[in-house]
Amino acid sequence: MAEHQGSYTPSSPLGKWVDERLPIIRFTKEQLWDYPTPKNLNYWWTFGAILTAMLAIQIVTGIVLAMHYVPEASMAFDSVELIRRDVAGGRMLQAIHATGASMFFVAIYIHLFRGLYYGSYKAPREILWMLGVLLLLLTMAAAFFGYVLPWGQMSYWAATVITNIFAAIPVVGDPLLQLLRGGFAVDNPTLNRFFSLHYLTPFIIAAVVVLHIWALHVPGNNNPVGVDVKSSRDTVSFHPYFTMKDLFATIVFFIPFAWLVFFAPDLLGHPDNYIPANPLVTPPEIVPEWYFLPFYAILRSIDFSILFINSKLLGVIFFGGSILILFFVPWLDRSKVRSGTFRPLFKPFFWLFVLNFIMLTYLGAQPAQGIYVVLSKVGVAYYFAYFLIILPLLSRFEVPRPLPASISESVLTPARS
Amino acid sequence: MIHHKNILAAILTSLMLASGALAQGTTPPAATQPSAPAASASSPSADNAKQAAAPAAQPAAMEVPEIQPQSWSFGGIFGRYDQNQLRRGFQVFKEVCSNCHAAHLLSFRNLSEPGGPEYSQAQVKALAATYTINDPDAPGGKRPGLPSDSFPSPFATDQDARDANGGLVPPDWSVLAKARSISRPFPWWILDFFTAYQEGGPDYLHALLTGYRDNPPAGFTLPDGKFYNDYFPSHAIGMPPPLSDGSVQYQKAADGSTVPLTVDQYSRDVSAFMMWLAEPKLDQRKETGFRVIAFLLLFAVILWLVKRRIWSNVAGH
C-alpha cells in the first residue's frame, strides 16, 4: 500500500489470470512478504505475532472443546471434568485453553505497555492504537464469558458480580442486567448466552485484528527510536527477517506457557472453581482472574460518593473509565517525540505507572480493608493522573533529548538512554 | 489463592515489587479465615462485591495454624503417584469414607487405568460385581456392577444425605482435592510457578484429617453435633473423626513392605488417593510436559541460529 511498489509478477498464465480477477497472491506477497519493516525493532515488537498465535491457539482448542462441552447448568461442570478425563487429549486441550487465556493477557499487557513507552499511539497511528484498545475490551469480554463456562463457584459468582456492575448504570441498568442474565439471577439462560457469546467474540476479535494489521500497514511500524522511516536503508523485508524473529520469540514464549500447562495447570486458578456452582452459598471471597485484578481494584477503591453520584455508580465510572481513557491517549500526550528513550522526564513517570499497575493487580486480590484501601486509592489516583495530568504537562514542559537523524544512524551508533 | 492479610507483608511486598529485590522472609503469613458460607438466596450487589474479599472477623485465639506443605511422591515436576499408596488410599476410601462421601466421576474402570492404582481388569471386574447398581432397564431394577459403572453413591438423593448427616451433604470427592488448598501468599505463588507446587489440596486434607482434638480449647463453644478441628476454617466440623489407629488393615505390598497403621499414614494415603481422583492424568501430563518442553527448547535454539544467520547481513546487527 504505502510507499512501495508491488513486486509481484505472475510467472504463469494461470497466475496472471487469477491476479487480474482476485489479486490475493499479490496482496500476500506485498503485505506479508515484502512489507518493509524498520530494521531496528526489538523483541518487545514480537508480541503482535505472539498475540496472533495465541488467538489462533484459543480458537482451535476452543472449537474442539465446544464439541464436548455441555452448556447446561446441571451438566456443565461435569462435562468439563469429563473432557479432562475421558476425551482423547482432552486434559491437554482444556489446560491449554484455560492457561492460554492467562498467557494471552501476559502478551496483551506487554504489547500495550510497549505501545505506551514507545509512543506507538501518536500520529499517524491513532486508529491503529484505538483498534488495539477495542481488541483489549473484546478480549476481556471473551475471557469473562469463558471463565463462566466451567460453572464452578467462582464462575457463578464472578458472573453475578460482574453483571451486577451494569445495574449501576442509571435508567437502563436494570433492564440491561436482566438482558445479560436472561432472568433475574444468574442461571441456565445466563450460561447459554455466555456460551454463545464466548463462541462469537473470538471471531469478532479476529476481524478487528485484520483491521488492526491493515491500520498498521498503512503508516508502517513505529520503532524503538520513534523517527520515521527515511529510506529503504532503514527497513528490511518482513520475510524472512521478521517472520523468523517473530517465530523464534513465539516459541520462546511457548516455553513458560507449556510449563504452566503441564506442570502447574492450576497455579493461576482459584480452588473454589472446583466446587460446582451453588446459588445458595456465597464463597468467602470472590476474586476475579489475575488479569482483571487491576481494574477490580479500581472498582473497589471507590467507596465514596461525589455530589449526586453514589459510590456504586462512581466505581463503575472509574472502572469503565480506566480502559476507555486509553482511547484518548493519542490526544493527551502531545509530545512530538514518540519514543520514551528520548524523553528524560517521561521515563520515570512511565515506569512508576507500570509499578502502579502491578501494585493495583496485587491489591485487587487483597481484602478491601485497612492499608489496602488507602493504597488502592493512591494507585487509582496515579493511574488517572498519569493520563490526565502528567502526559499533557510533560508534552508542554519536557525538553527531549536530540533524536537520531534516521533509523540507520541509530542502529550504527546506538542511542544511550 | 493470592490472599493474606498481613499489612506489613503488603507493604514489604509492594516495596519488593518496586525495587525488584528479593524477599527477606520476615513476615510469616497469617492463615486466612474464610467465614462459614452464608446461605443467601439473593444476589450480592456491586457494593457487596466490594466487601466480598473481606474475611469475617474472628477472635485471634481461633486462628487457624499455618499448614506446612508435606512431602508427596507426586510433588514437584518429577513426582509420580505411588501405586501402593493409591491402593491403600482406595482401601481407606472404600472401607471408611465411601460410607458417607460419593465420588460420582470415579468409574470402576478408572482403577485399572495407567497412572492410577492399576488393579488388573479382572480385579476391577470382580470388585464392581460386589456392588449392586440401580438400573431402571435391568430386570427388577437392580443388577451387579460393571467396570463401566460409576462408583455408587452412599445416598440415593442429596436430601437422604442431609438427613443422615446433620443437615449437610458430605462433599463429593470427585475433584475435592483440587477444591481445597492452603494459603500461598504473594511471594510464594511466584516460586510455585518454578517449583510447580500443586499439592495444596492434599496438604490441607492431611492436616484436616490429623487435626481433630478431643476437647476444644478453653473459651471455644462447640455447637452440638460438631467436632473440633484445628485446621477447619471455623474449627467446628460436622464430620466425626473418621480414622483411628489400626482401623484399616492393610495387606503387605507386593515387595513385602508394610506401613504403620496410624491415622497419619491413613491420612496421607487417602489424601494421595483423592489427588489421583481429582487429577487422574497427572503422571501422563508430566511425561508429555518433558517432551513438549524439550522440543520447544531445541526448536528455539535452532530458530535462534537461523534468525542470527539471516540477520547477519543487516548493517548494525
Side-chain angles (χ1 to χ4, degrees):
Chain A
M1 287 166 204
E3 293 176 35
H4 64 106
Q5 285 300 312
S7 58
Y8 173 68
T9 320
S11 56
S12 68
L14 179 65
K16 192 167 182 299
W17 186 88
V18 171
D19 193 53
E20 282 161 359
R21 284 154 182 83
L22 179 71
I24 191 166
I25 303 170
R26 175 181 300 278
F27 178 83
T28 311
K29 178 85 164 57
E30 288 173 3
Q31 295 303 320
L32 300 177
W33 195 283
D34 296 336
Y35 172 66
T37 315
K39 62 186 181 183
N40 62 333
L41 299 188
N42 57 31
Y43 276 100
W44 299 113
W45 259 266
T46 58
F47 283 88
I50 289 170
L51 282 165
T52 314
M54 291 309 294
L55 178 63
I57 287 175
Q58 291 301 84
I59 288 180
V60 171
T61 53
I63 287 173
V64 182
L65 287 170
M67 295 173 187
H68 303 279
Y69 171 77
V70 185
E72 202 278 326
S74 66
M75 290 151 86
F77 184 89
D78 281 359
S79 78
V80 174
E81 275 306 316
L82 290 172
I83 287 171
R84 301 162 71 113
R85 282 152 201 265
D86 292 340
V87 172
R91 202 218 65 77
M92 211 160 76
L93 279 175
Q94 197 275 340
I96 290 172
H97 198 73
T99 57
S102 276
M103 294 305 286
F104 206 133
F105 275 94
V106 169
I108 283 183
Y109 286 137
I110 294 174
H111 195 62
L112 174 74
F113 281 100
R114 190 271 289 153
L116 283 174
Y117 180 80
Y118 289 111
S120 299
Y121 45 81
K122 290 182 189 176
R125 299 186 181 83
E126 298 96 327
I127 291 181
L128 169 62
W129 170 262
M130 290 162 79
L131 287 167
V133 180
L134 182 62
L135 284 169
L136 170 68
L137 277 172
L138 286 167
T139 313
M140 289 175 130
F144 166 63
F145 293 138
Y147 189 62
V148 174
L149 302 186
W151 211 238
Q153 273 289 69
M154 274 300 149
S155 299
Y156 180 91
W157 289 98
T160 303
V161 169
I162 301 296
T163 50
N164 239 324
I165 289 173
F166 292 89
I169 301 170
V171 188
V172 294
D174 275 329
L176 188 62
L177 178 67
Q178 283 168 33
L179 182 68
L180 278 169
R181 291 181 174 174
F184 295 107
V186 173
D187 207 334
N188 195 48
T190 326
L191 180 60
N192 286 169
R193 63 193 55 201
F194 279 21
F195 178 61
S196 170
L197 293 171
H198 184 62
Y199 209 117
L200 171 68
T201 30
F203 296 98
I204 300 177
I205 290 173
V208 179
V209 165
V210 170
L211 295 180
H212 192 62
I213 295 173
W214 185 3
L216 168 70
H217 281 222
V218 174
N221 287 75
N222 182 30
N223 65 83
V225 290
V227 298
D228 288 328
V229 169
K230 301 263 167 43
S231 73
S232 61
R233 283 178 61 239
D234 293 343
T235 63
V236 291
S237 60
F238 188 69
H239 180 79
Y241 295 97
F242 283 100
T243 44
M244 282 302 124
K245 189 173 182 174
D246 285 348
L247 185 60
F248 167 62
T250 306
I251 296 300
V252 170
F253 186 79
F254 283 173
I255 293 170
F257 180 21
W259 184 270
L260 270 184
V261 168
F262 293 104
F263 295 112
D266 292 311
L267 182 77
L268 298 167
H270 197 292
D272 275 9
N273 223 26
Y274 281 107
I275 303 171
N278 184 347
L280 300 179
V281 176
T282 317
E285 47 175 19
I286 300 172
V287 186
E289 291 287 85
W290 71 268
Y291 40 78
F292 291 137
L293 289 174
F295 305 103
Y296 189 61
I298 291 172
L299 172 73
R300 284 196 315 182
S301 70
I302 308 301
D303 52 7
F304 50 87
S305 305
I306 296 181
L307 302 175
F308 55 90
I309 306 174
N310 66 29
S311 66
K312 188 175 169 180
L313 178 57
L314 199 63
V316 173
I317 291 172
F318 274 76
F319 175 71
S322 63
I323 295 167
L324 296 181
I325 201 168
L326 292 171
F327 281 113
F328 301 97
V329 176
W331 295 277
L332 291 166
D333 178 5
R334 307 304 304 237
S335 172
K336 292 277 178 280
V337 175
R338 291 197 189 101
S339 173
T341 309
F342 300 98
R343 301 182 61 189
L345 282 176
F346 166 87
K347 254 193 284 186
F349 285 112
F350 170 81
W351 288 111
L352 194 57
F353 181 76
V354 174
L355 288 173
N356 185 59
F357 193 76
I358 295 170
M359 182 182 81
L360 283 171
T361 309
Y362 173 77
L363 292 170
Q366 306 309 315
Q369 59 185 28
I371 186 82
Y372 298 133
V373 179
V374 182
L375 284 174
S376 297
K377 285 179 183 160
V378 173
V380 173
Y382 186 73
Y383 184 97
F384 285 95
Y386 178 79
F387 292 117
L388 295 173
I389 301 167
I390 294 169
L391 284 184
L393 285 184
L394 279 183
S395 21
R396 291 191 62 174
F397 298 109
E398 186 182 45
V399 181
R401 297 203 295 114
L403 293 172
S406 73
I407 290 172
S408 293
E409 183 195 84
S410 79
V411 170
L412 293 169
T413 51
R416 288 185 305 147
S417 47
Chain B
M1 243 176 170
I2 315 167
H3 49 64
H4 65 143
K5 49 178 184 152
N6 191 313
I7 289 162
L8 196 59
I11 298 166
L12 256 182
T13 43
S14 34
L15 282 176
M16 249 182 58
L17 282 172
S19 63
L22 283 172
Q24 302 295 312
T26 52
T27 53
T32 52
Q33 301 202 343
S35 59
S40 156
S42 63
S43 45
S45 66
D47 289 311
N48 286 353
K50 291 176 184 175
Q51 312 292 329
Q58 292 197 4
M62 284 169 55
E63 289 277 315
V64 174
E66 197 184 342
I67 296 175
Q68 292 302 325
Q70 303 292 310
S71 166
W72 300 101
S73 72
F74 48 87
I77 58 170
F78 298 107
R80 297 285 185 275
Y81 289 124
D82 172 351
Q83 193 195 82
N84 285 328
Q85 186 172 43
L86 293 187
R87 290 184 176 196
R88 294 196 300 270
F90 175 64
Q91 192 186 344
V92 176
F93 170 66
K94 181 169 158 294
E95 292 178 13
V96 182
C97 317
S98 66
N99 289 311
C100 299
H101 291 277
H104 76 282
L105 292 176
L106 173 68
S107 297
F108 288 107
R109 65 181 164 82
N110 298 138
L111 296 166
S112 63
E113 284 167 3
E118 294 191 25
Y119 290 107
S120 70
Q121 297 202 352
Q123 281 173 309
V124 168
K125 206 171 171 182
L127 173 75
T130 62
Y131 288 84
T132 306
I133 306 293
N134 293 320
D135 181 353
D137 293 331
K142 286 186 192 304
R143 60 167 173 78
L146 296 167
S148 56
D149 282 317
S150 305
F151 200 88
S153 298
F155 302 103
T157 65
D158 275 0
Q159 192 51 48
D160 290 344
R162 267 184 221 107
D163 291 344
N165 291 284
L168 293 169
V169 182
D172 186 283
W173 272 29
S174 304
V175 285
L176 193 56
K178 293 212 281 188
R180 301 288 185 271
S181 194
I182 66 174
S183 172
R184 298 293 280 178
F186 169 68
W188 291 115
W189 64 258
I190 291 198
L191 285 179
D192 288 349
F193 174 83
F194 297 99
T195 59
Y197 174 76
Q198 297 274 284
E199 293 82 46
D203 285 335
Y204 170 81
L205 294 166
H206 170 262
L208 185 85
L209 288 169
T210 54
Y212 282 95
R213 273 204 237 174
D214 290 340
N215 297 305
F220 185 89
T221 334
L222 196 62
D224 273 354
K226 299 280 184 187
F227 302 86
Y228 188 87
N229 191 301
D230 278 342
Y231 297 100
F232 193 66
S234 70
H235 292 296
I237 186 169
M239 175 170 71
L243 302 165
S244 56
D245 289 349
S247 61
V248 178
Q249 293 302 314
Y250 287 150
Q251 287 178 325
K252 275 185 187 170
D255 60 359
S257 60
T258 57
V259 294
L261 303 181
T262 58
V263 170
D264 181 71
Q265 185 64 41
Y266 296 147
S267 306
R268 281 173 201 283
D269 294 345
V270 84
S271 303
F273 171 75
M274 290 175 77
M275 189 62 193
W276 170 76
L277 201 48
E279 184 78 39
K281 302 279 171 70
L282 178 139
D283 287 7
Q284 292 94 323
R285 100 163 131 76
K286 288 180 182 176
E287 268 165 40
T288 318
F290 282 115
R291 272 184 251 141
V292 169
I293 297 218
F295 167 78
L296 289 173
L297 284 170
L298 191 68
F299 193 23
V301 169
I302 292 170
L303 281 171
W304 183 69
L305 293 172
V306 170
K307 183 254 162 193
R308 202 175 58 159
R309 176 83 183 272
I310 289 171
W311 279 80
S312 62
N313 62 355
V314 178
H317 281 84

